[in-house]
């Protein structure tokens, strides 16, 4: 029996190192797999974080632009009032009334300046369909295709036309 026990112990001892090598290899493979998964999760996390940051910036810009557009819409509704004030000022015979109209008109122009809105006044320049609307073409002195008169003022803010200038163009 001793021989059988010795053989069994020898077999067990021989199998143990092999089993330890297999276990170590399996643990190493599992470790590499875990590291690869961790790296994959890390890349995905960075991508989601960057995507969220881009989304946040886009929505912040969109909100700011919507606010600015809303302000411009409100001021645009005041343009006809300014036109009427200018017409009234031209036809006013009373000095005191004219001064009052001038004060109101100056406060409107100050408001436009604060909002960074500028007038479009293309008199004498070549007609530009990006900023003006031709309502009439007349014979006259000057270069053909140039603006002779502004019928209705136009306004723009930071390159965006809020109202096109209505102009008379020389044929």
């Amino acid at each position: 029996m001793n021989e059988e026990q010795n053989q069994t112990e020898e077999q067990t001892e021989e199998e143990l190192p092999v089993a330890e090598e297999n276990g170590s290899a399996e643990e190493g493979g599992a470790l590499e797999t875990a590291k690869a998964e961790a790296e994959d999760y890390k890349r995905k996390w960075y991508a989601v974080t960057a995507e969220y940051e881009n989304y946040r910036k886009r929505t912040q810009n969109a909100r700011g632009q919507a606010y600015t557009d809303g302000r411009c819409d409100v001021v645009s509704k005041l343009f006809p009032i300014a036109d009427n004030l200018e017409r009234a000022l031209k036809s006013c015979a009373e000095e005191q009334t004219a001064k009052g109209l001038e004060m109101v008109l100056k406060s409107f122009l100050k408001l436009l300046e604060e909002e960074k809105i500028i007038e479009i006044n293309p008199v004498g320049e070549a007609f530009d369909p990006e900023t003006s609307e031709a309502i009439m073409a007349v014979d006259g002195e000057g270069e053909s295709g140039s603006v002779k008169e502004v019928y209705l003022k136009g306004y723009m803010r930071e390159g965006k036309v809020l109202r096109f200038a209505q102009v008379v163009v020389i044929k």
Side-chain angles (χ1 to χ4, degrees), residues 12-133:
T12 307
E13 289 176 6
E14 289 175 5
E15 290 176 4
L16 282 176
V18 172
E20 286 177 4
E21 288 176 11
N22 287 341
S24 171
E26 287 176 8
E27 288 175 7
L31 181 61
E32 291 301 316
T33 303
K35 283 182 180 180
E37 285 179 2
E39 189 63 34
D40 187 44
Y41 290 139
K42 186 177 177 182
R43 276 195 316 271
K44 287 179 182 176
W45 181 77
Y46 282 139
V48 169
T49 303
E51 188 175 320
Y52 173 73
E53 189 64 26
N54 291 338
Y55 167 77
R56 189 183 63 76
K57 288 177 183 177
R58 275 193 315 271
T59 55
Q60 184 177 11
N61 289 341
R63 263 195 319 252
Q65 187 62 41
Y67 178 73
T68 301
D69 289 346
R71 289 179 67 119
C72 288
D73 287 345
V74 170
V75 173
S76 293
K77 291 181 181 183
L78 298 175
F79 294 154
I81 296 170
D83 296 335
N84 290 334
L85 283 172
E86 288 178 351
R87 287 186 199 110
L89 185 62
K90 286 179 184 176
S91 65
C92 185
E94 241 180 83
E95 188 177 325
Q96 293 292 45
T97 306
K99 284 183 181 179
L101 289 172
E102 278 182 22
M103 289 173 53
V104 173
L105 198 55
K106 282 181 183 179
S107 64
F108 176 73
L109 294 175
K110 184 179 178 187
L111 170 82
L112 292 181
E113 185 180 317
E114 289 171 359
E115 292 295 321
K116 299 175 186 166
I117 297 173
I118 57 172
E119 289 182 0
I120 300 172
N121 189 8
V123 173
E125 299 175 8
F127 174 73
D128 181 11
E130 299 291 321
T131 60
S132 304
E133 175 184 3

